[in-house]
């Protein structure tokens, strides 16, 4: 660009550009969170509120016409039913038996693996295989394994001269079989959590105990167990919640039988909702189960907080 004065250089000022609107940090946060929040409301919160409404009615999915408001009638019938008490006792026995057995076996396996220096990764991977399988696959697999006539387990018992057992068709053994199958699948979960806690224990504590010539039992009781115990309790909480709503293994292995000896609360709700089509009553079952889980979880978390503070 040239001017009249050759000693003066003209400077061109670029035209001002229009500023595009920019979102602040709060606007960006809302923009990114809103889709997930709307999806959560649509998939979780709304069905829960709708089930809460249906629990106060006599609504049935197969009956035409509007639902009639019955108040707390469904809840009263459930809480005073002897059948519900029986299913609740079955569920309690299953949860306590399965979770206790899984905790003991999982922590024992994790403790033994943590003491190894070679092959730890391979052993951990092998033990995690059952947990990676679908519960339906596990149920079908063990249903053939525990078959009274052609099952592998009875074949092994017969080969060593023992009497064959009707694992899934007798009331005394059906619930035990469910506990064993669930333990086989979910013990690796407890083992994985416990192994993470064991590997996080500071080594200098063991070195100091070795210098003081502390015994193996003393080191386990005063160092290992207190440091791993809080993490192990969290794993127990997750497993107890999962076991409380057990459905798939019961459906595949025993279908609630023989009789109702293995009919858990979740399976009973399925029968009420999809076989009896009493949607209002089934919704009341679901709300009560949610309340039980929430209350027990809060009490359990308070215990964990007291344990952490102590």
């Amino acid at each position: 660009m040239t001017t009249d004065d050759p000693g003066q250089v003209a400077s061109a000022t670029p035209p001002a550009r229009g500023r595009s609107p920019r979102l602040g940090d709060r606007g960006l946060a809302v923009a990114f969170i809103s889709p997930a929040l709307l999806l959560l409301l649509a998939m979780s919160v709304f069905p829960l509120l709708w089930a809460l409404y249906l629990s106060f009615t006599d609504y049935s999915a197969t009956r035409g016409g509007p639902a009639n408001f019955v108040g707390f009638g469904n809840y009263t019938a459930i809480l005073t039913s002897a059948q519900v008490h029986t299913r609740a006792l079955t569920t309690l026995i299953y949860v306590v038996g399965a979770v206790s057995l899984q905790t003991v076996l999982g922590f024992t396996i994790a403790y033994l693996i943590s003491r190894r220096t070679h092959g730890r990764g391979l052993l951990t991977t092998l033990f995690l295989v059952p947990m990676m399988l679908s519960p339906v696959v596990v149920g079908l697999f063990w249903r053939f394994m525990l078959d009274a006539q052609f099952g592998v387990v009875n074949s092994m018992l017969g080969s060593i001269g023992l009497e064959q057992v009707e694992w899934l068709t007798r009331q005394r053994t059906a619930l035990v079989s469910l506990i064993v199958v669930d333990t086989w699948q979910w013990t690796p979960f407890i083992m994985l959590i416990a192994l993470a806690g064991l590997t996080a224990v500071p080594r200098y504590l063991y070195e100091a105990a070795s210098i003081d010539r502390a015994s193996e039992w003393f080191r386990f009781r005063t160092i290992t167990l207190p440091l791993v115990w809080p993490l192990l309790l969290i794993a127990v909480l997750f497993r107890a919640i999962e076991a409380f709503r057990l459905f798939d293994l019961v459906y595949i292995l025993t279908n609630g039988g023989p009789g109702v000896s293995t009919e858990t609360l979740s399976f009973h709700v399925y029968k009420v909702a999809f076989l009896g089509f009493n949607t209002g009553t089934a919704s009341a079952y679901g709300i009560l189960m949610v309340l039980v889980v929430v209350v027990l979880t809060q009490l359990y978390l308070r215990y964990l907080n007291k344990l952490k503070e102590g």
Side-chain angles (χ1 to χ4, degrees):
M1 179 179 297
T2 60
T3 60
D4 297 337
D5 187 359
Q8 182 180 3
V9 179
S11 59
T13 303
R17 297 180 180 179
R19 292 186 178 181
S20 58
R22 297 180 60 184
L23 291 176
D25 293 340
R26 186 179 184 86
L28 286 174
V30 172
F32 281 107
I33 294 176
S34 296
L37 185 60
L38 292 176
L39 183 62
L40 178 64
L41 291 174
M43 301 297 293
S44 299
V45 178
F46 174 74
L48 182 62
L49 296 178
W50 184 247
L52 179 62
Y53 163 73
L54 292 180
S55 66
F56 295 102
T57 67
D58 62 349
Y59 177 74
S60 175
T62 59
R63 186 186 61 202
N68 299 317
F69 185 77
V70 296
F72 290 93
N74 291 330
Y75 293 96
T76 304
I78 291 172
L79 295 176
T80 58
S81 173
Q83 295 181 353
V84 176
H85 297 164
T86 303
R87 272 70 168 184
L89 180 60
T90 301
T91 305
L92 179 63
I93 294 174
Y94 169 80
V95 171
V96 173
V99 175
S100 301
L101 189 59
Q102 292 165 23
T103 303
V104 173
L105 291 178
F107 182 77
T108 302
I109 295 173
Y111 183 74
L112 295 177
I113 291 179
S114 66
R115 296 174 60 87
R116 293 183 58 90
T117 56
H118 301 288
R120 180 186 301 179
L122 179 60
L123 285 176
T124 304
T125 303
L126 292 177
F127 277 112
L128 289 178
V129 169
M131 191 179 69
M132 301 176 185
L133 299 177
S134 170
V136 176
V137 175
V138 172
L140 291 173
F141 171 74
W142 278 98
R143 191 174 72 178
F144 289 115
M145 291 275 290
L146 298 175
D147 186 81
Q149 296 181 352
F150 309 104
V152 177
V153 176
N154 277 344
S155 297
M156 295 177 61
L157 293 177
S159 63
I160 59 178
L162 296 179
E163 184 180 357
Q164 296 185 353
V165 180
E166 297 180 1
W167 297 101
L168 302 177
T169 55
R170 294 183 59 183
Q171 293 185 357
R172 294 183 178 180
T173 57
L175 188 59
V176 176
S177 301
L178 276 177
I179 294 175
V180 170
V181 173
D182 191 76
T183 301
W184 179 82
Q185 183 179 16
W186 291 110
T187 293
F189 175 78
I190 303 291
M191 179 208 73
L192 188 64
I193 301 297
L195 188 61
L198 289 170
T199 54
V201 176
R203 291 298 167 188
Y204 67 84
L205 297 177
Y206 293 115
E207 295 174 357
S210 300
I211 294 175
D212 294 337
R213 296 183 179 180
S215 63
E216 187 71 25
W217 168 246
F218 180 83
R219 283 183 286 180
F220 175 80
R221 182 170 54 88
T222 59
I223 299 176
T224 304
L225 192 58
L227 294 178
V228 180
W229 187 246
L231 192 61
L232 195 62
L233 288 179
I234 295 176
V236 170
L237 174 63
F238 289 148
R239 277 303 306 137
I241 294 175
E242 186 70 23
F244 180 74
R245 58 188 187 90
L246 174 76
F247 169 78
D248 34 30
L249 284 182
V250 176
Y251 183 79
I252 298 298
L253 284 174
T254 63
N255 201 30
V260 293
S261 58
T262 60
E263 188 172 312
T264 60
L265 285 175
S266 296
F267 190 79
H268 183 63
V269 173
Y270 157 77
K271 291 177 63 176
V272 172
F274 297 102
L275 299 182
F277 297 104
N278 297 319
T279 311
T281 305
S283 300
Y285 271 109
I287 296 299
L288 286 175
M289 291 179 66
V290 170
L291 290 177
V292 169
V293 171
V294 169
V295 171
L296 294 180
T297 301
Q298 289 299 320
L299 295 176
Y300 195 84
L301 291 177
R302 287 186 179 181
Y303 170 73
L304 288 180
N305 291 331
K306 291 182 179 180
L307 185 66
K308 182 179 179 180
E309 293 174 359

